[in-house]
Amino acid sequence: MKHLFRIVIALYPAHWRQRYEAEMMALIEDSGYRAKDLANLLLSAVGAHVRSPILLYSWVFSGLLFGTAMLWVVPQHYKASVEAQLKLEPATVSSMMSHEGLGFLIQAYGLYPRWQNTRSLDEVITQMRTRDVQIEALPGSRVRVAFTHPDPKVATDVARDLAIELGFGASPSPVLQPLYKVWLLVVAGLIVGTSAGFWLQRFVRIT
Amino acid sequence: MNDPTLLVLSSLADGDKHGYAIMQDVEVFSGVKLGPGTLYGAITRLEERGWIRGLRSGDRRQPYTLTGEGRAHLAEALAKIESILRVGKRRLKTA
């Protein structure tokens, strides 16, 4: 039990242990090693970390660092898009966005494998139609077609097929654009920042 | 009243004590059993605010003393509590 108390006290920030560890251990020796006190110490150790400014610095610094690194290294999705001067035929668009048209692409490229077992094909097609496929009419009779997918190659290939279907010509070249879920980066940054702060405070004093 | 900082200040109001003595004293006069983490959390905050001060000691059990500022803060906090008690009791009687 004494060993456990030592482990929990080691979780306190370094500056706190420097000042109070010896007398805290003396107090625990006097009052006895009780499980209830161990839990109390654990919660207070978290409180001692949260009260320290280093945690705030770590949140901000590590969060920014991690978030920025993620932005450059791991985009979550890619949007491949092609633009061309084209007269958009409603019938062609309807055919392309139809159950058969999108269903063919889903099967040909094995899209949405995680949804195949949990959702019906209709639901998957609706999701693809409303979320991942974009057809925009631009000024000057231009049309843009785009497809978003986590794999850049799949995004490019599907966008190219959609463009061919719409009449963009034999081999359109989609432009690839990385997309990020900012909230995910912020949450990941906070988790990394908090962990770094807790870990750092065990060893160094920055106030 | 179970704010650990007020309990610690009240305990030190009648003389210097080390951590374990504060813990025992608080339990006797208030019935509140402070855990070691809660007690030292309160001691840390009180020292940071300058309301208590550690005294030199050759022992690991360091005694603490109430500072002038700590005494003034305690008096002010207790006066507020007394005022709340008075109002509460009076309203209970008239209800």
Side-chain angles (χ1 to χ4, degrees), chain A residues 113-131:
Chain A
R114 278 188 300 172
W115 292 354
Q116 302 278 0
N117 299 327
T118 54
R119 300 185 188 191
S120 69
L121 185 59
D122 280 344
E123 285 177 302
V124 178
I125 287 171
T126 306
Q127 191 71 23
M128 181 180 183
R129 190 183 287 140
T130 53
R131 196 190 69 175

Side-chain angles (χ1 to χ4, degrees), chain A residues 5-6 12 15-16 19-20 22-31 34 36-38 40-41 44 51, chain B residues 18-20 23 33-41 43-45 47-49 53-54 60-62 64:
Chain A
F5 271 84
R6 285 207 175 278
Y12 273 86
H15 64 90
W16 188 95
R19 170 67 184 84
Y20 297 107
E23 53 181 298
M24 170 74 97
M25 278 314 293
L27 178 138
I28 292 164
E29 283 164 20
D30 289 341
S31 61
R34 291 171 300 206
K36 195 176 146 191
D37 289 344
L38 197 64
N40 178 263
L41 275 177
S44 302
R51 279 170 40 77
Chain B
H18 56 69
Y20 184 54
M23 193 190 250
K33 176 134 187 58
L34 294 175
T38 309
L39 174 66
Y40 272 90
I43 287 176
T44 308
R45 289 195 292 280
E47 267 207 309
E48 280 170 5
R49 290 171 194 169
R53 181 165 47 84
R60 285 188 303 161
R61 292 161 182 81
Q62 189 183 28
Y64 290 90

Side-chain angles (χ1 to χ4, degrees), chain A residues 165-188:
Chain A
E165 191 75 21
L166 276 180
F168 274 50
S171 55
S173 304
V175 177
L176 208 56
Q177 175 197 357
L179 299 174
Y180 309 94
K181 287 179 183 164
V182 175
W183 67 267
L184 193 68
L185 297 179
V186 170
V187 170

Side-chain angles (χ1 to χ4, degrees), chain A residues 19-154:
Chain A
R19 170 67 184 84
Y20 297 107
E21 184 172 6
E23 53 181 298
M24 170 74 97
M25 278 314 293
L27 178 138
I28 292 164
E29 283 164 20
D30 289 341
S31 61
Y33 298 95
R34 291 171 300 206
K36 195 176 146 191
D37 289 344
L38 197 64
N40 178 263
L41 275 177
L42 195 62
L43 283 176
S44 302
V46 173
H49 278 280
V50 173
R51 279 170 40 77
S52 167
I54 190 176
L55 195 69
L56 187 65
Y57 301 153
S58 303
W59 266 339
V60 175
F61 181 71
S62 308
L64 281 176
L65 200 69
F66 182 78
T68 312
M70 288 280 286
L71 273 174
W72 289 104
V73 178
V74 198
Q76 284 93 37
H77 283 87
Y78 291 88
K79 182 177 180 178
S81 57
V82 201
E83 262 183 58
Q85 191 129 26
L86 188 77
K87 187 172 182 320
L88 212 51
E89 296 292 342
T92 316
V93 176
S94 298
S95 154
M96 192 188 83
M97 297 293 264
S98 69
H99 191 280
E100 290 72 26
L102 294 183
F104 171 77
L105 287 174
I106 289 171
Q107 292 195 341
Y109 288 99
L111 302 174
Y112 315 109
R114 278 188 300 172
W115 292 354
Q116 302 278 0
N117 299 327
T118 54
R119 300 185 188 191
S120 69
L121 185 59
D122 280 344
E123 285 177 302
V124 178
I125 287 171
T126 306
Q127 191 71 23
M128 181 180 183
R129 190 183 287 140
T130 53
R131 196 190 69 175
D132 298 332
V133 176
Q134 268 185 307
I135 302 173
E136 279 177 275
L138 303 172
S141 303
R142 292 183 71 78
V143 173
R144 180 193 293 143
V145 61
F147 182 67
T148 304
H149 193 270
D151 183 335
K153 185 175 180 328
V154 173

